[in-house]
Amino acid sequence: MTVTIVGSQLGDEGKGGIVDVYGDIADVVVRYQGGDNAGHTVVHEGDEYKLSLVPSGAVRGKIGVLGNGCVVNPRTLFEEIDTLRDRGLDPDVRVAERAHAILPYHRVIDTLEEDVKSDDDLAAGTTGRGIGPTYEDKAGRRGVRIGDLLDPETLRSRLEYVVPQKRALLEEVYDISIEDHEDIDADAFDIEALFEQYRDFGDRLANEGMTVNCGEFLADRLDSGEELMFEGAQGTSIDIDHGVYPYVTSSNPTAGGATVGTGLGPTVIGDGEVVGIVKAYLSRVGTGPLPTELGSVDGQTPDDGGRPSEADLAEYIRDEGGEYGTVTGRPRRVGWLDIPMLRHAARANGFTGLAINHIDVLAGLDEVKVGHSYTLDGEEVFTMPPTTEKWGDCEANLRSFEGWEDVDWNAVAEEGYEAIPENAREYLDYIAEELDTPVYAVGVGPGREQTIVVEDLT
Ligand code: IMP
C-alpha cells in the first residue's frame, strides 16, 4: 500500500507532522520532488528537528529516499545527516541516481535572476537554494545527476560542457567579473574545484551505499509487502504546472509528481491513499496575488493587495501560528482559507482524504472567515482561474463562521474528534463537504500527539 501526502495550498501546511503520524505505518518514506527549499519541522520524543532535504520519516528510523524527481544539494544532504547523527540518530537515506545535483553555481544564478526579476515585480521570492536553475539544466539536458558523481570521467565531461556556459552567463549577460565579485565564490565556476568537491561527494555516497535505482528499489520493497509513503514538499498552488505561475517552484508537488519522480506507475500511486494537507487558514512565502490575504508584508504583498485594515488580525494569526519561514525566517503572508484554491487542489490531486492542521491557531477569534468563491469579471467562480493575472483580479467572497474558544488542545487530542469545539467541527465539516473528501486527521498543535487521527490507514 502507498500513501501520498500532498500540500493543498502554498506550502507550509504542516505536512511534516502528518508524514510523521502516518509514517508509522510506512517502512520507506520517499520525497519525489524539490530539494533543500522545503522546510519540515518534525517533533520526535520532545525534540524538534528542522530538515530541508532529508525526508522527515528518516528521523523516526524509516528508510528515507530522495527520488529521481528531486534536486539534491549533496552538501546540505551530508550536513543534515551529520547533524542527525550528532544528535544520536542513525538516519538511513538513499538517493536516486537519476536525481539531479544542485551545484554552487545554481545558487548564485538563482539569486542573480531574482534580483533582476524584482525590478519588474516578477521575482518568485525563491529560497535561493538553486532549485529553479537546477531544474532548468535538467530540462535543458545539461544537468549533473547523482549517478554522474559516482563516475569521475562522466562527472568531468559534464562539468567541462556546462561550466563554461555558466561563466559566460555571468560574464556576458550579467556583466560580472567572477574573480573580482566579493559575494561570489570563484570556485563555484571552476571546473577543477567543482570536480574535486563533487567527486568527494560521490565517494561518500558510494562508500555509504546511499545511491539507488529508485523505481526498482521501491518496487522491490512493495513486492516484499512493505508500505511506502510519498512525502510531497511545497504545495499545489506553487506547482510549476498547476500553481500560480510564475510565482511557483520548479517542480510538481501534485500527486502526479509522485509517479514521475519515483519511477513507479500511476496505478501504484492511484491504488493508494492521496492525503491533502490543508492549513486551516492560508500562509504564503513569496510574492504574487493572494485574494484572501489579511494585512500585508513588505516586499511580498503586491502594491494593491492584502487588507491593510486587518493588519492586527494578520499579525495575531502570524504570531499564533509561528508563520515565519523555516528555511529563510521571513515573515509569511497570511490570509483566510481559500476554498476555490482547495477545490482546484482536490481535483488536480484526486485526494482520498484530508488532514486539516492548525485549527488551534484560529481559536479565540470571534469570527473565522473563508473565501468561499471569487467574483471575476462580474461572475461568481468556484475554482482558480488558469492565469495568475486573472487570479489577481479575483475578489474573494467571504463566508463567516462563528469562532471557537481556546481550549486545552492536548486534552482534546487525547479525547479525540468529538472533543473538538463544535464551531470548529462545523468548519471542518464545511471544508470536507466543499471538497467532497473526508477528513482523515486534524492537527491541533505541532506535536505528533496533537494530531487527531480519524482514519488510521492501517
Ligand atoms: P524555490 O522553490 O526556492 O525556487 O522558490 C520558488 C517559490 O516557491 C517561492 O515563492 C518560494 O517561497 C516558494 N517555496 C519553495 N519552497 C517552499 C516551501 O517549502 N514552502 C513554502 N513555499 C516554498
Side-chain angles (χ1 to χ4, degrees):
M1 195 311 267
T2 70
V3 180
T4 304
I5 302 288
V6 182
S8 64
Q9 294 150 316
L10 293 146
D12 309 314
E13 298 92 350
K15 292 178 290 292
I18 301 297
V19 168
D20 202 23
V21 169
Y22 284 133
D24 263 356
I25 58 161
D27 302 285
V28 185
V29 179
V30 190
R31 278 193 57 187
Y32 53 86
Q33 44 73 232
D36 56 349
N37 50 346
H40 302 279
T41 306
V42 183
V43 181
H44 174 48
E45 292 176 355
D47 289 325
E48 197 174 89
Y49 298 89
K50 286 194 187 297
L51 299 171
S52 62
L53 181 61
V54 167
S56 45
V59 169
R60 309 199 134 263
K62 313 289 176 183
I63 297 177
V65 177
L66 294 169
N68 54 276
C70 294
V71 287
V72 179
N73 187 328
R75 181 175 299 286
T76 312
L77 175 69
F78 290 128
E79 276 170 11
E80 290 192 358
I81 289 175
D82 290 344
T83 304
L84 292 176
R85 284 186 183 153
D86 287 348
R87 293 179 65 180
L89 300 178
D90 184 20
D92 182 351
V93 181
R94 315 294 174 98
V95 189
E97 289 196 24
R98 288 185 170 91
H100 278 247
I102 298 180
L103 281 101
Y105 50 75
H106 290 126
R107 281 195 175 202
V108 174
I109 293 166
D110 195 353
T111 309
L112 287 175
E113 191 165 4
E114 282 282 289
D115 276 354
V116 173
K117 280 180 156 182
S118 64
D119 294 342
D120 296 318
D121 252 2
L122 281 174
T126 73
T127 58
R129 303 294 157 111
I131 306 297
T134 307
Y135 279 114
E136 272 181 57
D137 279 354
K138 171 179 175 174
R141 295 164 297 195
R142 69 182 91 82
V144 176
R145 306 207 294 183
I146 292 298
D148 301 338
L149 309 188
L150 309 180
D151 174 0
E153 228 173 275
T154 306
L155 174 61
R156 184 178 283 284
S157 78
R158 297 267 192 268
L159 293 172
E160 281 174 353
Y161 175 72
V162 73
V163 175
Q165 294 186 19
K166 303 300 176 195
R167 290 193 73 90
L169 176 68
L170 257 74
E171 289 170 349
E172 284 160 38
V173 177
Y174 289 106
D175 200 19
I176 284 172
S177 165
I178 295 170
E179 270 69 26
D180 299 331
H181 197 290
E182 55 181 18
D183 294 330
I184 294 177
D185 177 4
D187 280 355
F189 294 83
D190 181 282
I191 295 174
E192 207 47 47
L194 290 169
F195 173 75
E196 281 182 24
Q197 209 183 344
Y198 277 67
R199 187 199 49 202
D200 288 352
F201 288 142
D203 284 348
R204 182 164 171 191
L205 286 165
N207 290 339
E208 299 195 17
M210 287 174 66
T211 62
V212 289
N213 183 352
C214 187
E216 194 174 271
F217 177 79
L218 297 177
D220 286 349
R221 296 268 160 180
L222 268 180
D223 286 347
S224 63
E226 293 190 359
E227 316 277 353
L228 306 187
M229 169 169 283
F230 302 99
E231 175 182 2
Q234 290 87 43
T236 301
S237 281
I238 52 173
D239 180 291
I240 183 91
D241 284 278
H242 303 290
V244 292
Y245 194 90
Y247 308 104
V248 292
T249 192
S250 299
S251 66
N252 290 117
T254 39
T259 166
V260 182
T262 61
L264 294 171
T267 43
V268 174
I269 310 300
D271 271 351
E273 299 278 358
V274 180
V275 183
I277 315 303
V278 178
K279 182 182 272 188
Y281 52 93
L282 216 54
S283 74
R284 166 78 163 130
V285 184
T287 44
L290 201 60
T292 61
E293 182 165 14
L294 291 165
S296 61
V297 173
D298 270 358
Q300 297 188 53
T301 305
D303 289 344
D304 53 351
R307 286 178 178 71
S309 61
E310 307 266 32
D312 289 351
L313 184 55
E315 197 155 320
Y316 175 82
I317 295 175
R318 185 175 301 117
D319 287 347
E320 287 292 304
E323 295 297 348
Y324 296 88
T326 318
V327 173
T328 59
R330 290 182 287 185
R332 296 180 185 144
R333 301 160 68 190
V334 295
W336 295 124
L337 192 66
D338 186 319
I339 300 291
M341 179 188 283
L342 292 181
R343 292 190 191 101
H344 171 69
R347 178 188 33 74
N349 292 292
F351 293 145
T352 57
L354 302 173
I356 303 177
N357 281 324
H358 288 353
I359 62 162
D360 54 308
V361 171
L362 299 179
L365 297 178
D366 291 338
E367 167 179 53
V368 174
K369 293 185 187 169
V370 299
H372 176 76
S373 61
Y374 304 136
T375 298
L376 175 63
D377 300 332
E379 307 248 317
E380 185 174 20
V381 294
F382 292 89
T383 187
M384 289 172 88
T387 75
T388 304
E389 289 65 31
K390 285 274 178 209
W391 194 45
D393 291 341
C394 286
E395 203 180 304
N397 298 315
L398 298 177
R399 199 176 259 203
S400 180
F401 288 79
E402 264 181 56
W404 47 92
E405 64 278 18
D406 203 9
V407 292
D408 178 350
W409 293 101
N410 287 329
V412 168
E414 227 165 84
E415 279 176 58
Y417 191 84
E418 295 304 318
I420 295 173
E422 195 182 334
N423 289 349
R425 271 184 286 134
E426 268 178 33
Y427 188 71
L428 298 172
D429 287 347
Y430 160 80
I431 299 169
E433 220 165 90
E434 289 300 318
L435 306 190
D436 196 18
T437 311
V439 174
Y440 277 7
V442 183
V444 297
R448 155 197 178 82
E449 48 300 311
Q450 289 156 320
T451 299
I452 299 169
V453 177
V454 183
E455 193 67 47
D456 69 9
L457 305 188
T458 48

